[in-house]
Amino acid sequence: MSPDATPFSPETQAIHSGRSIDPTTGALTPPIHLSTTFERDGDGSYPKGYIYGRSGNPNRDALEAALTTLEKGSETVTFASGSAATFSLLQALSPADHVIAPQSVYFGVQQMLSHVFAPWGLSHTLVDTTDLAAVAEALRPNTRLVLIETPSNPQLAVTDIQAVADLAHQANAYLACDNTIASPVLQTPLTLGADFVIHATTKYLAGHGDVIGGAVVTRETNSLFAQLRLVQTIGGVVPSPFDCWLTLRGLQTLPLRVRAQAQAAQTIATWLSQHPAIEQVLYPGLPEHPGHAVAQKQMQGYGGLLSFLVKGDQETAMAVAAKTNLIARATSFGSPHSAIEHRASIEKGTTTAPNLLRLSVGLEHVDDLIADLDRALMLKN
Ligand SMILES: *Cc1c(COP(=O)(O)O)cnc(C)c1O
């Protein structure tokens, strides 16, 4: 039976999808195909299906196949970064189209919409996508794409995927869901009606903090996806064979990593929510989180990322982050190494609270992480 078949659990699919025993050597670990070019037959055909490394490569095909299986889609295009994935999807639209994106959308996406695509003619509206009435009101006759990010970064706001998919489809628009924070282990948006899933594979999918990458998975092969494939191969923002190999390697442990990180994040979020130095914890796994009920409906766990507001101002929050030892002061998330970040100081012009710290829970023992946070929070008082 193919490892892509549905009876297999994500753990099994993560290990077997996109991988097969190398027919020339019997190697279980796939080789890295660095060749930029592939030989033609005398009749001009390409007997193995590969022509040139930008248009296709065996390591890239393997990664795309694995991501398609894990996200329960029909096809995947991979890119050199998560930003390139969203950028290319926007580029596949027409300049007269309109896009709806979340008010709290990933900072880089807000930048590309305002500074690259608006001058090009693509208009956009930023709305609170957790508010269905606001999404309905923002839809226009030329809205071609609704972009959501759930849970969102760094607010951990939860958008109802199925409800927004219904609204988008009623208006003849596509829904693209950034699934970077949840990963397909905890949420499969294509099964809830989304047309595309976007990933910064940089985060949980590659999972080891050593490769930048991105992907778009489609539910079915439609005209926008065909254009996106063209943007990938002609635009050439492709991941290298080694990047694809590393990401496929990381995928093997994705379900185990994400479940462990989500469990530790739940423990830490609960502990922080009772800590006297904390004003508020933003984590969809907490019953008091405004998106908890929707998250419970559409997720199988709440993920390894959380944010918290420290009692005090920007300086207080910075001082807490300055005191952690195990937890690194660094951007990004999804690595084994836990990381804490003061978001407002790197997101210029967003509404992120000055006393907010985002915590990416890694794979260290949860007791050690709590001790590190406790020390940092106590020193503040
Ligand atoms: C990190 C991230 C991106 C950008 O990915 P890069 O690989 O850094 O370009 C986009 N969206 C979300 C939600 C992210 O977390």
Side-chain angles (χ1 to χ4, degrees), residues 71 89 145-151 159 161 175-180 187-190 194-199 217 298:
E71 283 291 358
L89 184 60
L145 184 71
V146 178
L147 195 62
I148 59 172
E149 203 187 292
T150 182
T159 293
I161 300 169
L175 175 67
C177 178
D178 190 316
N179 203 27
T180 300
Q187 174 174 283
T188 49
L190 301 180
D195 300 285
F196 306 102
V197 158
I198 302 173
H199 272 290
V217 189
Q298 68 190 19

Side-chain angles (χ1 to χ4, degrees), residues 307-340:
S307 293
F308 55 95
L309 309 185
V310 178
K311 277 184 192 158
D313 55 13
Q314 163 146 343
E315 265 97 282
T316 328
M318 291 286 243
V320 170
K323 299 273 165 47
T324 60
N325 291 329
L326 273 181
I327 304 171
R329 281 171 301 284
T331 195
S332 199
F333 57 89
S335 288
H337 193 147
S338 293
I340 195 162

Side-chain angles (χ1 to χ4, degrees), residues 88-100 113 117-125 138-146 171-174 223-224 227:
S88 300
L89 184 60
L90 294 170
Q91 232 168 11
L93 300 170
S94 303
D97 291 339
H98 172 250
V99 174
I100 293 175
L113 282 169
F117 289 101
W120 182 60
L122 185 76
S123 56
H124 68 271
T125 307
L139 285 159
R140 298 186 197 163
N142 64 333
T143 303
R144 186 114 179 276
L145 184 71
V146 178
N172 285 317
Y174 292 114
S223 62
L224 185 54
Q227 183 70 9

Side-chain angles (χ1 to χ4, degrees), residues 12 27 47 65 77 113 118 129 142 167 175 204 239 252 305 345-346 360 367:
T12 306
V77 272
L113 282 169
T129 56
N142 64 333
L167 287 172
L175 175 67
Y204 290 104
Q252 294 178 102
L305 194 70
S345 53
I346 72 151
S360 167
D367 294 347

